[in-house]
Amino acid sequence: MNNSKVNTKVTLDEMVLKSLYYRYKDFTVPISVIVVCILLFLFLIIPQIQSFLAMKDSISGDSQKLSTLQQNLKIISSFDDNELNNYLDISTRALPAEKDFAGVLQAISSSAAGAGTILGDYSFQIGDITADTKSKTTQLPLQLSITIKGDLTTARRFIEELKNQLPLSDVTSVSVNSNGTIAVTAIFYYAPLPKISFDDSIPLLTISTKEKEMLKLLDNPSNPDSITNVQASTPTPTPFSSITVTPTVVVSLTPTIAASPSGRISQ
């Protein structure tokens, strides 16, 4: 009896399904086609469109990168190694990568000879020798106190001569002593070389005509004001046109190097 009841139930279910099928069979095929089309659109067409758009963006980026590489290659090929080495030499003499005591002494000696005066004692304030200057990118000061023999006219000639010497410097104070000497305080600048990081996706920059003229004037200045005039006319900031006088704070732990014209140095 249990088997007959189960069979009867199955038979009834089959009859109901067949009845529903024959009643709605005209709608079954269109609905199935619509469902299949929706599934195909969601899982096949949309991923293909996304893949195509991503590939298009990738091709556009690669084309731009290739154009930049070709432009950089053209710029590098046009460089003259001797000219670049000369510009680097002038730049490092104008703004040394570190404190260039020898260059500073040569500059003040040449300035004294050009002004027709005699150097007296001079001293360096070398600052904090433990400071990490490698991470700094701006000009750093090296203060020098100089004593010369003569009057204010002699001091003026000395300052004019010093303006044409490298490394770059600024005179911050001039005072007349009672013993017939002039005390001059000058600041010489130096700038650590920046860390070189090459990115092939960034176009290389070339040296502009104004910058080349400035470098040539730094190497062979024609008159005392020629360097300043070029700096004022340069539209973009450069290591030579953005120099400012930075006050120097001297603390008790700052060592001072003092020297006489004979060249003996004491600390």
Side-chain angles (χ1 to χ4, degrees):
M1 293 181 64
N2 292 334
N3 292 336
S4 62
K5 289 182 179 179
V6 173
N7 293 335
T8 302
K9 184 176 181 181
V10 171
T11 303
L12 290 174
D13 291 341
E14 290 177 355
M15 292 177 62
V16 170
L17 292 175
K18 288 180 180 180
S19 176
L20 292 173
Y21 172 74
Y22 287 117
R23 180 178 297 180
Y24 299 105
K25 68 178 180 178
D26 294 335
F27 303 98
T28 303
V29 174
I31 292 175
S32 301
V33 172
I34 292 174
V35 171
V36 170
C37 291
I38 292 174
L39 294 176
L40 288 175
F41 183 78
L42 292 176
F43 296 102
L44 184 62
I45 304 300
I46 290 180
Q48 290 295 328
I49 294 175
Q50 292 176 343
S51 177
F52 173 76
L53 294 176
M55 185 179 298
K56 185 177 180 180
D57 292 339
S58 177
I59 292 174
S60 177
D62 291 342
S63 299
Q64 184 176 1
K65 186 175 181 180
L66 179 60
S67 176
T68 302
L69 289 174
Q70 290 175 342
Q71 180 181 356
N72 291 343
L73 179 60
K74 183 178 179 180
I75 292 175
I76 293 174
S77 301
S78 65
F79 284 156
D80 185 349
D81 292 342
N82 294 329
E83 186 181 37
L84 289 178
N85 290 332
N86 184 40
Y87 289 154
L88 177 62
D89 177 67
I90 298 172
S91 300
T92 52
R93 283 192 290 115
L95 282 177
E98 56 188 12
K99 297 171 182 178
D100 184 11
F101 296 104
V104 171
L105 295 179
Q106 178 63 35
I108 62 173
S109 298
S110 299
S111 300
T117 184
I118 299 175
L119 282 175
D121 293 339
Y122 49 86
S123 62
F124 288 100
Q125 292 180 349
I126 64 176
D128 186 3
I129 60 177
T130 62
D132 181 13
T133 60
K134 297 297 182 182
S135 61
K136 299 180 180 179
T137 57
T138 56
Q139 293 84 0
L140 301 174
L142 173 62
Q143 185 169 315
L144 174 65
S145 299
I146 314 165
T147 301
I148 60 175
K149 294 183 179 180
D151 52 14
L152 289 178
T153 302
T154 304
R156 180 176 180 179
R157 290 199 303 266
F158 175 80
I159 294 172
E160 293 294 330
E161 290 290 335
L162 190 61
K163 287 173 62 177
N164 291 329
Q165 301 294 327
L166 300 180
L168 295 175
S169 61
D170 277 327
V171 174
T172 58
S173 67
V174 178
S175 60
V176 180
N177 299 325
S178 59
N179 57 358
T181 60
I182 304 293
V184 179
T185 301
I187 292 179
F188 289 82
Y189 296 96
Y190 67 100
L193 294 176
K195 183 179 179 181
I196 298 176
S197 57
F198 178 72
D199 187 353
D200 55 9
S201 62
I202 299 177
L204 293 177
L205 299 178
T206 58
I207 303 176
S208 66
T209 303
K210 289 289 186 181
E211 291 170 338
K212 290 181 180 180
E213 292 177 356
M214 185 192 310
L215 290 170
K216 291 178 180 178
L217 287 172
L218 285 172
D219 190 28
N220 295 300
S222 57
N223 58 74
D225 297 326
S226 58
I227 298 176
T228 304
N229 293 335
V230 172
Q231 291 173 353
S233 63
T234 304
T236 56
T238 66
F240 311 111
S241 62
S242 59
I243 295 175
T244 56
V245 177
T246 305
T248 302
V249 179
V250 181
V251 297
S252 59
L253 295 180
T254 301
T256 300
I257 293 179
S260 62
S262 61
R264 293 178 298 176
I265 299 176
S266 59
Q267 190 170 16

